[in-house]
């Protein structure tokens, strides 16, 4: 039918109509969304499909549509459309007056009206004995219920479970049977009841029989026969990945730990796991990003089945959390040779990709401090925890005593426990060198008294040592007069020695730390001939005669 434009004279009404349609209606839909379209799409996706294949010991959801007339006669159909719960919990109709009225309106149960109260009164015993029949848990009024309704336990009828056990007893060893029978003793078995063989028992049991009849007017159990080909060649069907699980890594943890992906030296880079799915027989695992990320994928044939495949990954370099600003996602697929494929023209039958996000938290970098670094063979080894996202740059800086910085060259920046600097020969200035490790723009260790350092051995030289008797000082001129004991090097010390062999220690003047080296002159060295000597630990490194300032 073609649309017809209705003229609206009032502009205010047009404005109000526009506001209603453009603001109010979308707002209501946002607050109370209508999920009917999505539900219909789901029904379409699950219900209208053909050639459904389910692997051996596998499972899947199948949605079936049956006309109500296939199961219910006209009266039951009307009752179902009005009160569907009656067909799934029919005993609720007895205490529910409205539900009972509907039941009697549409269905001729053949039960006198005055009997429904008697049946409702029998419900507690009926439910208690029904539970006992399947769980062996007796209600408190077990014996009273049996007597009231003329029932008794049918001791002659053996439960099916017991019949199966007896059949097994004939074929198996007696000692083993005893152990299995002990296990069966604790399992619930269905026990039968029967009406007592005595006068009046039939009348007493009549409410129970009617309740049992109503309880079985139910759609809870519907038998559906499935027809089709029950045997297929699963190797000719594309695999399906349902679950992917990684095994825990020793000295690291699960796949959510940074060391799992960002530390290929942990566990020699080997990561193992298992895939659960369907039609996996004859398949091999592949990862689309394996080559770019340096991952070697191996499918393990041991303990494999149509639903399980084990695998191992070999990491040759750290796997980043993000690539070009986007979270890293690995795409796992199961590949099978396609029927008819040849070595000359190989073709594969691939499963849908299973997306696995590499989502480990930002690693916590730790540098062992204080740490006196000892150069060896022209290299410097720094210990700590250096697991980091490879997209974050790692730079080692060597800070000289003179303020110049040198960038350290690393043998391998992907190691997690230590970093090895190979260009130590570039550090030539004598004294204490401070080392920092910069990862992603953050320096470790932070500034503080803890020393991450090494020393370049000084070669002290003395050019002059002038004593001032009035100020009781010795002004020293020289080079490499550096104390490196703070960073593991030799301690620098001074002594004055007379020609007669008398030795006096000499210390720097703490009141003049910012000037050139000034030592405190001992009283004994005010007169006479003395020599100033500098020592590295106990070894003499240089000496010079004390001189007096020229006379005015």
């Amino acid at each position: 039918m073609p649309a017809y434009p209705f003229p609206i004279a009032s502009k205010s009404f047009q404005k109000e109509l526009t506001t209603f349609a453009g603001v109010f209606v979308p707002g209501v839909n946002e607050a109370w969304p209508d999920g009917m379209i999505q539900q219909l799409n789901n029904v379409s996706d699950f219900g209208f499909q053909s050639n459904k294949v389910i692997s051996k010991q596998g499972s899947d959801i199948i949605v079936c549509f049956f006309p109500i007339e296939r199961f219910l006669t006209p009266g039951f159909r009307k009752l179902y459309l009005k009160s569907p719960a009656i067909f799934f919990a029919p005993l609720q109709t007895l205490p529910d007056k409205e539900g009972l009225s509907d039941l009697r309106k549409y269905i001729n149960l053949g039960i006198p009206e005055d009997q429904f109260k008697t049946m409702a009164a029998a419900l507690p015993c009926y439910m208690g004995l029904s539970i006992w029949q399947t769980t062996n848990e007796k209600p408190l009024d077990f014996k009273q219920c049996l007597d009231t309704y003329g029932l008794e336990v049918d001791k002659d009828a053996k439960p099916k479970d017991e019949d199966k056990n007896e059949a097994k007893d004939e074929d198996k060893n007696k000692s083993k049977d005893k152990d299995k029978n002990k296990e069966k003793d604790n399992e619930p078995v269905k026990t039968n009841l029967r009406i007592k063989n005595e006068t009046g028992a039939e009348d007493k049991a009549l409410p129970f029989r009617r309740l049992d009849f109503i309880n079985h007017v139910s759609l809870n159990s519907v038998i559906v026969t499935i027809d089709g080909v029950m045997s297929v060649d699963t190797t000719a069907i594309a695999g399906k990945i349902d679950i992917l699980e990684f095994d825990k890594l020793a000295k690291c943890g699960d796949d959510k730990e940074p060391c799992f992906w960002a530390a290929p030296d942990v566990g020699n880079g080997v990561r193992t796991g298992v895939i659960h799915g369907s039609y996996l027989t004859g398949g091999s695992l592949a990862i689309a990003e394996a080559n770019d990320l340096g991952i070697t994928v191996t499918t393990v044939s041991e303990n494999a089945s149509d639903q399980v495949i084990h695998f191992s990954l070999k990491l040759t370099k750290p796997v980043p959390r993000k690539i070009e600003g986007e979270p890293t996602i690995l795409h796992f697929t199961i590949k099978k040779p396609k029927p008819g494929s040849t070595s000359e023209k190989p073709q594969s039958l691939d499963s849908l990709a299973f997306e696995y996000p590499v989502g480990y938290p930002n690693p916590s970098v730790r540098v062992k401090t204080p740490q006196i670094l000892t150069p060896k063979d022209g290299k410097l080894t720094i210990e700590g925890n250096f697991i980091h996202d490879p997209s974050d740059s790692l730079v080692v800086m060597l800070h000289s005593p003179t303020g110049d910085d040198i960038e350290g060259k690393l043998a391998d920046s992907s190691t997690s426990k230590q970093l090895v600097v190979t260009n130590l020969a570039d550090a030539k200035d004598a004294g204490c060198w401070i080392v920092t490790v910069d990862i992603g723009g953050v320096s470790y260790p932070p500034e503080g008294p803890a020393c991450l350092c090494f020393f370049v051995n000084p070669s002290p030289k003395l050019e002059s040592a002038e004593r001032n008797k009035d100020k009781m000082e010795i002004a020293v001129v020289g080079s490499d007069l550096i104390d490196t004991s703070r960073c593991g090097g030799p301690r620098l010390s001074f002594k004055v020695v007379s020609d007669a062999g008398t030795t006096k220690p000499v210390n720097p003047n703490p009141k003049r730390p910012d000037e050139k080296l000034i030592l405190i002159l001992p009283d004994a060295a005010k007169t006479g001939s003395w020599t100033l000597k500098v020592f590295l630990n106990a070894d003499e490194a240089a000496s010079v005669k004390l001189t007096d300032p020229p006379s005015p």
Side-chain angles (χ1 to χ4, degrees), residues 529-543:
S529 177
W530 293 78
T531 301
L532 176 66
K533 296 184 177 183
V534 59
F535 293 85
L536 296 178
N537 290 337
D539 299 326
E540 182 179 335
S543 62

Side-chain angles (χ1 to χ4, degrees), residues 120-389:
L123 270 176
C125 280
Y126 179 81
M127 297 303 298
L129 293 178
S130 297
I131 294 173
W132 167 75
Q133 282 185 291
T134 54
T135 65
N136 292 339
E137 295 182 7
K138 291 183 178 181
L140 296 177
D141 53 355
F142 177 75
K143 190 174 184 306
Q144 180 182 350
C145 286
L146 292 180
D147 294 340
T148 302
Y149 295 101
L151 302 173
E152 65 180 0
V153 178
D154 188 357
K155 298 181 179 179
D156 296 332
K158 295 180 180 179
K160 293 181 179 180
D161 289 350
E162 292 182 3
D163 291 338
K164 291 180 181 178
N165 288 342
E166 290 181 3
K168 293 179 180 178
D169 289 345
E170 297 176 0
D171 301 327
K172 296 188 177 180
N173 185 276
K174 291 183 179 180
S175 62
K176 293 182 179 180
D177 289 341
K178 290 180 180 179
D179 294 336
K180 290 191 175 182
N181 286 335
K182 288 180 181 178
E183 295 176 359
K184 286 289 183 181
D185 288 343
N186 296 325
E187 294 183 6
V189 294
K190 187 172 182 179
T191 308
N192 297 323
L193 293 175
R194 66 185 179 188
I195 300 174
K196 292 181 179 180
N197 187 18
E198 62 183 28
T199 304
E202 288 282 349
D203 294 336
K204 290 182 179 180
L206 187 57
F208 253 64
R209 296 173 65 182
R210 287 170 172 166
L211 287 173
D212 211 39
F213 166 70
I214 294 176
N215 195 33
H216 284 80
V217 181
S218 169
L219 292 178
N220 282 320
S221 299
V222 176
I223 298 175
V224 178
T225 301
I226 300 177
D227 191 12
V229 179
M230 299 303 168
S231 177
V232 296
D233 182 8
T234 58
T235 60
I237 302 174
K240 178 185 177 185
I241 301 176
D242 293 327
I243 301 173
L244 186 149
E245 297 175 334
F246 280 99
D247 302 324
K248 286 189 175 182
L249 182 62
K251 298 181 180 179
C252 175
D254 60 23
D255 54 318
K256 301 305 177 186
E257 295 294 332
C259 53
F260 196 93
W261 295 105
D265 57 329
V266 177
N268 293 322
V270 177
R271 312 292 186 258
T272 59
V274 61
I275 284 177
H276 300 271
S278 305
Y279 326 123
L280 303 180
T281 300
S284 59
L285 182 64
I287 300 177
E289 300 79 10
N291 291 336
D292 294 337
L293 297 177
I295 302 175
T296 303
V297 184
T298 303
T299 304
V300 180
S301 59
E302 186 177 357
N303 297 324
S305 69
D306 201 46
Q307 289 80 40
V308 175
I309 277 186
H310 295 267
F311 65 89
S312 70
L313 308 180
K314 173 73 174 180
L315 307 185
T316 59
K317 60 182 181 180
V319 178
R321 291 182 302 159
K322 293 184 177 182
I323 298 177
E324 296 180 354
E326 296 295 330
T328 301
I329 296 179
L330 303 181
H331 294 83
F332 288 75
T333 56
I334 298 296
K335 290 182 174 291
K336 298 181 182 180
K338 198 172 185 178
S341 175
T342 63
S343 56
E344 292 79 13
K345 294 182 178 180
Q347 293 178 304
S348 64
L349 190 62
D350 299 347
S351 69
L352 292 177
F354 183 93
E355 293 187 352
Y356 173 87
V358 180
Y360 56 88
N362 192 28
S364 177
V365 179
R366 294 185 300 274
V367 179
K368 180 182 176 183
T369 54
Q371 185 178 169
I372 305 299
L373 307 177
T374 304
K376 184 178 180 180
D377 299 329
K379 299 178 181 179
L380 198 66
T381 301
I382 308 169
E383 294 182 355
N385 177 14
F386 303 105
I387 299 173
H388 65 286
D389 189 327

Side-chain angles (χ1 to χ4, degrees), residues 464-496:
S464 65
E466 185 178 275
R467 61 184 171 187
N468 188 320
K469 300 176 184 178
D470 296 330
K471 295 182 178 181
M472 297 298 291
E473 294 177 345
I474 302 174
V476 181
V477 177
S479 60
D480 274 6
L481 302 177
I482 304 169
D483 184 6
T484 56
S485 59
R486 184 178 74 90
C487 52
R491 180 177 296 278
L492 184 76
S493 61
F494 298 91
K495 294 179 181 179
V496 287

